[in-house]
Amino acid sequence: AQSVTQLGSHVSVSEGALVLLRCNYSSSVPPYLFWYVQYPNQGLQLLLKYTTGATLVKGINGFEAEFKKSETSFHLTKPSAHMSDAAEYFCAVSDQGAGNNRKLIWGLGTSLAVNP
Amino acid sequence: DAGITQSPRHKVTETGTPVTLRCHQTENHRYMYWYRQDPGHGLRLIHYSYGVKDTDKGEVSDGYSVSRSKTEDFLLTLESATSSQTSVYFCAISKDTSSYNEQFFGPGTRLTVL
């Protein structure tokens, strides 16, 4: 069965510092991978996705993620944190199981705090 | 995105009362989902639908039922609300035009059961 692990439920960085949010997955087939962001009191918004091709994926708001098959990882990074990046971040993998359910398997989320 | 709305946005109810949450989309995609979000548990799938009158259970379906009589609407019903169902509920859709299964979310409904 597929699964997603996000290392660190809470991450705190200083404004201007590197943001690194970790995501590892398990999948028996080539995965589709996603990062979502949730700002306070809002729904989830797609930040970026990996489907096929280039392993470094760029998303909105300066975020990017690199798919590393050998490490089964899809870590999210941003070179310089901004106060507005404070949010909950979720990693997800597309369920490739039998049937056509189009479900996503979710990590538990990482709360990012940005300190001035 | 995909014109997803949820109603009501906030609701306070009492234990034992029935509650229905509505999700509406404007683009008529086949796949719709109901999740609940709780601290420490992330997002958990309650029920999903892959077409009118076609629904299936998710991982936390006990105490919930759904209906989909029109493509654009997906209703979640708590037959007899309990305090453990206090949560934030999100509806999502997966676009028919995408091969990658990404989902798009509504703004959520905050439900409090007293």
Side-chain angles (χ1 to χ4, degrees):
Chain A
Q2 292 174 297
S3 65
V4 175
T5 301
Q6 292 184 238
L7 291 175
S9 58
H10 298 276
V11 171
S12 182
V13 300
S14 298
E15 193 173 18
L18 171 72
V19 175
L20 172 60
L21 304 182
R22 300 177 187 273
C23 174
N24 288 88
Y25 69 92
S26 68
S27 176
S28 59
V29 298
Y32 301 143
L33 295 157
F34 310 91
W35 275 101
Y36 284 80
V37 59
Q38 183 183 30
Y39 298 105
N41 300 313
Q42 295 187 24
L44 280 74
Q45 178 183 358
L46 182 63
L47 199 53
L48 51 78
K49 65 184 178 189
Y50 169 78
T51 56
T52 57
T55 57
L56 184 62
V57 179
K58 295 185 184 301
I60 60 173
N61 301 335
F63 283 92
E64 60 184 34
E66 186 171 10
F67 169 60
K68 292 187 176 181
K69 183 177 179 181
S70 61
E71 299 178 7
T72 61
S73 69
F74 190 56
H75 301 333
L76 182 70
T77 60
K78 183 174 181 178
S80 178
H82 192 272
M83 296 295 288
S84 60
D85 295 326
E88 188 88 13
Y89 292 81
F90 292 92
C91 182
V93 62
S94 182
D95 185 357
Q96 302 293 329
N100 193 23
N101 56 46
R102 299 173 70 99
K103 290 191 289 185
L104 295 181
I105 308 302
W106 295 90
L108 293 181
T110 297
S111 177
L112 175 66
V114 181
N115 305 309
Chain B
D1 205 333
I4 305 167
T5 57
Q6 294 184 232
S7 59
R9 293 293 313 280
H10 301 270
K11 187 170 182 66
V12 180
T13 191
E14 294 190 351
T15 298
T17 60
V19 175
T20 295
L21 308 182
R22 178 179 183 245
C23 177
H24 177 81
Q25 58 158 325
T26 60
E27 296 185 0
N28 292 326
H29 297 290
R30 289 174 55 205
Y31 291 87
M32 299 184 74
Y33 309 81
W34 275 109
Y35 291 93
R36 59 178 290 173
Q37 184 179 24
D38 304 286
H41 292 276
L43 287 171
R44 292 182 289 176
L45 182 65
I46 305 172
H47 282 277
Y48 64 97
S49 170
Y50 44 95
V52 172
K53 300 191 188 304
D54 291 324
T55 64
D56 206 347
K57 296 178 179 180
E59 60 183 297
V60 289
S61 59
D62 288 348
Y64 302 95
S65 62
V66 290
S67 65
R68 190 148 178 223
S69 58
K70 298 186 293 184
T71 303
E72 60 265 36
D73 289 326
F74 192 30
L75 303 181
L76 177 71
T77 297
L78 290 65
E79 302 290 348
S80 178
T82 67
S83 58
S84 65
Q85 294 176 311
T86 292
S87 185
V88 181
Y89 291 86
F90 287 100
C91 172
I93 65 100
S94 180
K95 294 186 177 183
D96 297 351
T97 50
S98 171
S99 302
Y100 307 119
N101 304 347
E102 66 266 48
Q103 294 178 7
F104 297 91
F105 285 78
T109 294
R110 184 173 296 276
L111 176 67
T112 301
V113 183
L114 301 177

